[in-house]
Amino acid sequence: MPDELPAHISPAHSENVNFFGVITVDVEAELARLDGGGRHPLRPAAVEPSLRL
């Protein structure tokens, strides 16, 4: 790696990096989001600002 490259790398934004390979999931909260058929509800479709009436 060139010596000048580390000057452009910042550790400031590493909170979203999972260094340990462990994913924590709140199972109860995820199950509570399911609809009666056991599926996640769909996200509302994005509406183009120019298409609004």
Side-chain angles (χ1 to χ4, degrees):
M1 174 167 62
D3 290 337
E4 56 275 350
L5 186 61
H8 300 284
I9 299 173
S10 171
H13 299 288
S14 63
E15 63 272 358
N16 63 334
V17 177
N18 185 348
F19 293 105
F20 303 107
V22 177
I23 298 173
T24 305
V25 176
D26 184 354
V27 175
E28 295 299 321
E30 291 298 318
L31 290 174
R33 293 179 56 207
L34 300 179
D35 65 11
R39 296 181 179 94
H40 282 279
L42 296 175
R43 290 180 286 191
V47 177
E48 294 282 331
S50 61
L51 298 177
R52 292 183 183 167
L53 299 175

